[in-house]
Amino acid sequence: MAGQIVEQQIEKIYQEALSQVQTSSQVDQVQSLMVQYLGRKGMVTQFLRNVSRLPAEQRPQAGKRANDVKKVLEEAFQKRLQEIEGSQIAEDTGIDVSLPGRATFRGSVHPITQITRRISDIFSRMGFDIAEGPEVELDHYNFECLNIPKNHPARDMQDTFYVSESIVLRTHTSPIQVRYMEKHAPPIHIIAPGKVYRCDSDITHTPMFHQVEGLVVGDGITFGDLKGILTAFVHQMFDTQTSLRFRPSFFPFTEPSAEVDILCVMCRGKGCRVCKQTGWLEVLGSGMVHPAVFENVGYDTSRYSGFAFGMGVERIAMLKFGIDDIRKYYENDIRFLKQF
Ligand code: DAH
């Protein structure tokens, strides 16, 4: 019975203090409430002091409750003081500083950048360095040094953006191979990510897109090394169930050349719309570096051999994220970009 009375006492003090603080509108009102309740002779303080006089079995409960009340009231007083100050400033300046701030919109890394970083990570861990080159490129590097003759279809005005007769927007990242070899002696193991440009636009082509080039040169580099590196890459990029298929192909700067398909990541080889019922998806071009390219950079072709490859980042991103229209990546629709 006595315990209940004690309890009622502290609850009463608590409720009164709360309702008084809510209705006070001046700083000095709140300050005097603080003295009245929490000051040296304040009601909560007094109560706490008297706890020691209570019967032993009531002390812990009453002490704890009084301490909680003290804490909550301290916070309530502080909060009210801030509110009053805020509304004072609002009155003076017309700005309500007590309003919560507007949440800032946080951006995210573009899916193409994410995939480029992932590709770079995988190759970096295998010991590759990262190289770069200019997007506005000399015809000399974009075509000539890569053994692409003047009459090659890739040079067609319909494919290439010409800046002048001898300057183009690079149509692939392969010129970086040549620029790098001019400055470095073997052994070389680089990848070169970057933007490339072609006059082309439909659901699988945009006039600007991204590639990652790869180049390895050294003593006794073989096609087996090419297969090993690309297999390790695909297994890390997708998974170890994703097998690879090398198909003979042609590129002027590699001999022999191969296009690489991976087992369709959607249907696992059964045949679907994405792989056009073939069960395979083409993901990159590759081959052994053509001796003519080595000669253009002054490498000893009797000593060195190497392989190169080039892949489209959008293509890998489309497969990885299951997006079938490449243009979505460039429409800047926040609802699309937010999902990655
Ligand atoms: N540059 C080629 C393209 O854009 C891709 C390519 C194929 C790059 C074979 C290479 C390679 O390095 O060896 O279509």
Side-chain angles (χ1 to χ4, degrees):
M1 190 60 194
Q4 262 179 14
I5 292 170
V6 172
E7 246 169 56
Q8 281 166 6
Q9 245 179 358
I10 185 70
E11 293 313 320
K12 188 158 169 265
I13 296 173
Y14 178 49
Q15 293 306 333
E16 272 174 14
L18 268 190
S19 79
Q20 282 177 317
V21 73
Q22 291 315 334
T23 52
S24 38
S25 56
Q26 303 294 327
V27 171
D28 50 5
Q29 265 179 306
V30 180
Q31 281 168 344
S32 70
L33 284 176
M34 286 166 85
V35 175
Q36 192 184 327
Y37 287 96
L38 303 177
R40 227 155 30 88
K41 292 187 182 144
M43 293 200 259
V44 178
T45 319
Q46 295 286 359
F47 184 92
L48 270 166
R49 213 167 280 152
N50 291 336
V51 165
S52 60
R53 295 204 207 121
L54 292 172
E57 71 277 11
Q58 285 177 27
R59 273 180 230 155
Q61 172 92 16
K64 182 175 180 306
R65 180 63 190 143
N67 272 314
D68 288 346
V69 164
K70 185 177 165 195
K71 224 166 109 202
V72 175
L73 287 181
E74 270 167 359
E75 279 163 18
F77 290 139
Q78 287 309 326
K79 186 163 165 254
R80 190 72 195 128
L81 279 177
Q82 279 170 10
E83 285 166 0
I84 294 170
E85 253 166 58
S87 61
Q88 194 57 51
I89 296 176
E91 223 167 85
D92 296 348
T93 62
I95 298 168
D96 185 352
V97 294
S98 70
L99 276 178
R102 283 199 188 97
T104 49
F105 183 75
R106 282 182 65 192
S108 58
V109 179
H110 193 280
I112 296 299
T113 310
Q114 288 182 30
I115 295 292
T116 307
R117 286 185 187 166
R118 176 88 186 106
I119 296 170
S120 303
D121 274 358
I122 293 172
F123 282 103
S124 296
R125 266 185 274 126
M126 294 197 284
F128 283 66
D129 293 323
I130 312 256
E132 283 185 334
E135 286 170 36
V136 181
E137 183 58 286
L138 293 168
D139 179 291
H140 174 77
Y141 287 111
N142 195 76
F143 295 127
E144 213 71 50
C145 297
L146 288 165
N147 202 29
I148 303 176
K150 280 266 185 278
N151 59 1
H152 193 279
R155 291 196 175 205
D156 196 311
M157 295 291 276
Q158 276 152 22
D159 280 300
T160 307
F161 288 111
Y162 279 88
V163 176
S164 71
E165 206 168 321
S166 59
I167 299 174
V168 300
L169 298 187
R170 69 179 176 204
T171 59
H172 51 180
T173 42
S174 303
I176 304 172
Q177 291 185 30
V178 182
R179 285 182 174 274
Y180 195 86
M181 286 192 283
E182 277 184 348
K183 293 219 174 74
H184 300 83
I188 284 174
H189 17 69
I190 54 157
I191 57 158
K195 292 183 167 67
V196 301
Y197 301 85
R198 282 181 212 174
C199 196
D200 207 347
S201 185
D202 59 40
I203 81 161
T204 50
H205 298 88
T206 44
M208 183 284 298
F209 59 103
H210 298 76
Q211 288 188 331
V212 176
E213 192 78 14
L215 175 69
V216 172
V217 184
D219 290 305
I221 300 290
T222 68
F223 202 93
D225 296 314
L226 168 63
K227 286 184 83 169
I229 290 287
L230 290 181
T231 303
F233 164 71
V234 168
H235 285 177
Q236 288 178 72
M237 190 71 212
F238 295 95
D239 58 52
T240 51
Q241 307 306 307
T242 308
S243 21
L244 290 79
R245 176 172 88 168
F246 289 73
R247 249 183 318 106
S249 184
F250 173 80
F251 299 102
F253 36 91
T254 46
E255 180 59 36
S257 304
E259 269 169 320
V260 178
D261 301 337
I262 59 170
L263 196 68
C264 179
V265 293
M266 308 292 169
C267 67
R268 295 284 168 186
K270 286 197 199 78
C272 68
R273 193 176 60 85
V274 175
C275 61
K276 300 198 180 85
Q277 309 306 329
T278 63
W280 295 91
L281 299 161
E282 185 192 322
V283 288
L284 54 87
S286 65
M288 301 306 292
V289 179
H290 198 294
V293 177
F294 281 153
E295 273 159 24
N296 287 336
V297 296
Y299 278 10
D300 179 354
T301 53
S302 67
R303 172 159 181 207
Y304 295 118
S305 59
F307 66 78
F309 57 86
M311 65 184 95
V313 179
E314 279 77 358
R315 176 108 180 113
I316 306 244
M318 286 163 89
L319 297 176
K320 199 82 191 145
F321 297 132
I323 306 295
D324 56 5
D325 185 345
I326 192 176
R327 293 170 299 195
K328 290 218 169 75
Y329 287 116
Y330 299 112
E331 281 164 356
N332 286 339
D333 184 336
I334 298 282
R335 291 168 305 173
F336 174 76
L337 295 174
K338 253 189 180 166
Q339 300 173 70
F340 301 95

